[in-house]
Amino acid sequence: MKISRWAGVLALTATSALAADPEMGQQLYQDVAIERTIKGQHYTDANCETCHQASFYQRNDRKVSSIAALEAYVEGCNTNLDVGWFPDEVADVAAWLNQEYYRFK
């Protein structure tokens, strides 16, 4: 019983030490961002381009004015066309479209 208690304490200590490392956290954040971008591009290529050409996102009169509005429009397509994306996939597509075309902060 004492050994398992100490093993738990050591595991928590090691995890806390890794979580407190800012460089490790920054690297993890970048890795996740890259993965989400790849997924977003894949989902967009497979679904959005059947209706929208790249020029659609580059119009001067586009209605999207924020990242929140972009996510709402992507969710609208997801719902209306019954694409079947989960919320994190909608966010990935919106993030990729923002990075590629919109560039909202």
Side-chain angles (χ1 to χ4, degrees):
M1 187 79 157
K2 288 183 180 182
I3 293 174
S4 64
R5 191 176 296 169
W6 281 109
V9 169
L10 289 174
L12 287 174
T13 304
T15 304
S16 298
L18 288 175
D21 181 6
E23 290 179 16
M24 177 78 84
Q26 184 65 26
Q27 182 62 43
L28 181 60
Y29 177 81
Q30 290 172 352
D31 291 348
V32 169
I34 290 169
E35 183 179 338
R36 291 188 70 198
T37 299
I38 292 168
K39 285 181 182 178
Q41 182 178 10
H42 170 74
Y43 294 140
T44 302
D45 290 349
N47 295 284
C48 302
E49 290 183 0
T50 58
C51 297
H52 308 294
Q53 296 177 358
S55 61
F56 175 80
Y57 306 112
Q58 298 168 335
R59 302 177 311 186
N60 290 331
D61 65 338
R62 59 187 180 197
K63 297 177 183 177
V64 175
S65 59
S66 69
I67 189 71
L70 180 57
E71 284 188 8
Y73 272 89
V74 172
E75 179 55 42
C77 287
N78 181 39
T79 301
N80 292 329
L81 300 175
D82 197 24
V83 177
W85 288 335
F86 291 105
D88 60 322
E89 294 166 332
V90 169
D92 290 348
V93 169
W96 184 80
L97 289 172
N98 185 48
Q99 176 185 323
E100 192 68 20
Y101 299 107
Y102 293 93
R103 305 200 192 291
F104 298 125
K105 298 280 179 187

